[in-house]
Amino acid sequence: MSLNNAFDETERALLLRQLRGQRQHILAQLEGLSDAQLRAPVLPSGWSCLGLVRHLTLSDERYWFEVVMAGGSLDFWPRSEERRVGKECTVRCRS
């Protein structure tokens, strides 16, 4: 393994650990909320807790990892009707 590969693996491990920590923090804040509480608008814009999780998933994680870091295209964005957080959307707080 070259020095560059070792650095890449170290950097990757650090980024993944940080990402796991951020995910755990968000999920800990949602743990114990009822389905109604997760879906209730809590901001004047109408955002709910699940809406925030969806935003973090698409805009932060998916965009940054798939587009910025991996050089992927922007065509993964859902159509407007798919952006709504429907009844089928759930949050798994602990795995």
Side-chain angles (χ1 to χ4, degrees):
M1 179 186 300
S2 72
L3 183 57
N4 283 341
N5 286 343
F7 178 75
D8 290 343
E9 287 303 312
T10 302
E11 188 175 51
R12 183 178 187 275
L14 175 65
L15 289 170
L16 288 173
R17 187 171 57 246
Q18 183 68 20
L19 179 59
R20 258 190 313 276
Q22 294 298 318
R23 286 175 176 167
Q24 289 171 352
H25 175 76
I26 295 296
L27 293 175
Q29 302 308 306
L30 302 176
E31 193 167 6
L33 294 178
S34 69
D35 189 64
Q37 289 171 316
L38 288 169
R39 296 174 189 288
V42 293
L43 295 174
S45 65
W47 268 34
S48 66
C49 293
L50 284 180
L52 173 64
V53 170
R54 179 131 170 108
H55 169 78
L56 291 172
T57 301
L58 286 175
S59 295
D60 292 355
E61 288 192 22
R62 196 162 177 196
Y63 172 75
W64 279 102
F65 285 100
E66 290 186 25
V67 177
V68 175
M69 295 183 79
S73 68
L74 285 170
D75 64 356
F76 69 83
W77 294 103
R79 294 183 305 269
S80 61
E81 65 270 10
E82 293 173 341
R83 290 184 189 171
R84 247 185 64 251
V85 177
K87 292 187 184 226
E88 70 284 349
C89 184
T90 60
V91 173
R92 188 176 66 192
C93 291
R94 297 284 181 215
S95 50

